[in-house]
Amino acid sequence: MEFLGTTQTASYCGPKKSCFLPEVAPMSISQDSYRSYYLPGYRYLSSWRPSLFYKVSSFRPNDDGQGGGRLSAPLRPPTILPSTRSSLYARYSPLDWFNANRAQFQGSEAYRHWAGRLNADSGRLIQDKEQLTRQTQEGSRKNLGQRLSDIDFWRSELSYELERLLTETRALDTAKRRLECAADEAQGPLQVALECLYFREKRMGIDLVHDDVEKNLIQEVDLIKSCQEKMRRLAERIEQQLKINRDAQHALERDLGDKNSAHFIDEKCYNLRNTSDSINYYHGVEKIDGTVSVPETWAKFSDDNIRYSQNARSNSALLREETDHTLESTSEEMWRQYTNTNLAFDRRISEVAEAKNKLQAQLAKTLQEIFQTENTMMLLERAIMAKECPLKVAQTRLEARTWRPNMELCRDVPQFKLVNEVFTIDDTLQTLKLRLREAQDTLQLLILNKARLEHDLLVKANSLFIDKEKCMGMRKTFPSTPRLVGYT
């Protein structure tokens, strides 16, 4: 017995031959059973049903009344009535009757034997088809189970990858918020540096110099702006990567949702039995092919989604590392520049304070010198005033001696001494007056120097107030490193 159908050499599959009865019309029971295909639930339209065929033969006795004559052509039946027909004209002979009975028995035995063999082979065929149906159904159920295992595998892979992608996306979004917070946090030191530059523009006179403090403040402003721009550009790149991550997430979620739906449907199909209530006929459904993929493309689709997600996660990890490095480097650079600027402020404040102290010392000495110069001027004036009386005495003596008569007008030693005395006193007065004018000029210079010193002291005090009180007062606090790297 073959696996499918029955043997093609069965006796009932061949033509039936009989010696006594005419041949039965050929019946294609086996061929119809194997070649025709009927959908379940259809009733066969041409079922096999047994039929008997008989052939009535008429014999006519020969002319000499013997039954051994040759068979002649059938004659027209007599026209006389059966009641008036003679017994010599009977239709069949006893031999025909015995032959007909024997042929009937033999034909019945042949048909019964043929029907027995057909029934036995039909039972075997039913068992074979039942076994084939059961094996096919078990194979389909096994394939559905294998398909459920494949779906479970890809579901687990997709779920694991989706969870890792969501974790990476959250970490990347946290890095983006850190960048934004760090950029916003750097706005405070930037405003402080700009305010310091604005305040230092209010310095006066010679103190309005382009010193190290101003250079460091300008560098600090440029550095903070550069760091903010770098962090904003990196935040934009992270935003684009977040969009890619969301695309990968949507692809994984859509694929995972399809896998869940397919798993539910295939599990429902796997659990269907012949005794289930939800089974029904769906004629022609096997002719409909609505598939859009094969197992290779089906697995490749999920594999491509996972690879796309892995690539997005890898790029996200690189961006997070770059974010950490950027935040650390920018924080370190801003802290270094902040420290350098404060050191420049300290040096400048020390220089200005030292210059102010020296100016104050010079002012004190100048004031002392002005006091001494004023005393000198007072003494010179007194000395000049003191020389007036001796000059008057000498000139009075000389004028009185001009009234001496005649020869008494002698150029004697007293005359000579008086003249010398007048010239000496006059020269002394000129010298004292010249010195008095020099003292007055010196006093004016000292007073002018005093004014300059006082102005310089005012300038230094203003510069010292701007650098020490206003600028350093604002620069006492600077964002801590955790705040500069985005942790608030």
Side-chain angles (χ1 to χ4, degrees), residues 199-211:
F199 284 137
R200 284 177 63 83
E201 289 296 325
K202 295 181 181 179
R203 292 175 297 171
M204 299 181 295
I206 192 61
D207 278 10
L208 194 62
V209 295
H210 186 63
D211 52 2

Side-chain angles (χ1 to χ4, degrees), residues 156-176:
S156 62
E157 292 293 324
L158 290 170
S159 299
Y160 177 70
E161 181 61 30
L162 180 60
E163 182 178 358
R164 296 186 65 184
L165 179 62
L166 290 175
T167 303
E168 185 65 33
T169 301
R170 286 192 294 267
L172 188 62
D173 187 66
T174 302
K176 176 177 174 290

Side-chain angles (χ1 to χ4, degrees), residues 247-266:
D247 291 339
Q249 175 186 346
H250 294 163
L252 290 177
E253 289 176 347
R254 183 174 60 252
D255 195 1
L256 186 59
D258 294 342
K259 291 289 187 298
N260 290 330
S261 300
H263 186 274
F264 175 77
I265 294 173
D266 286 347

Side-chain angles (χ1 to χ4, degrees), residues 299-347:
K300 185 177 182 300
F301 179 75
S302 297
D303 186 69
D304 290 342
N305 290 334
I306 293 175
R307 289 182 182 275
Y308 183 67
S309 176
Q310 290 175 347
N311 188 21
R313 285 194 298 106
S314 176
N315 294 335
S316 300
L318 293 178
L319 282 177
R320 285 195 299 107
E321 293 178 359
E322 185 178 355
T323 299
D324 294 337
H325 180 266
T326 300
L327 290 174
E328 291 177 1
S329 62
T330 53
S331 174
E332 184 179 356
E333 290 175 359
M334 285 189 289
W335 261 108
R336 186 186 303 113
Q337 185 60 41
Y338 171 76
T339 304
N340 293 337
T341 304
N342 287 347
L343 292 176
F345 263 111
D346 292 337
R347 289 193 299 268

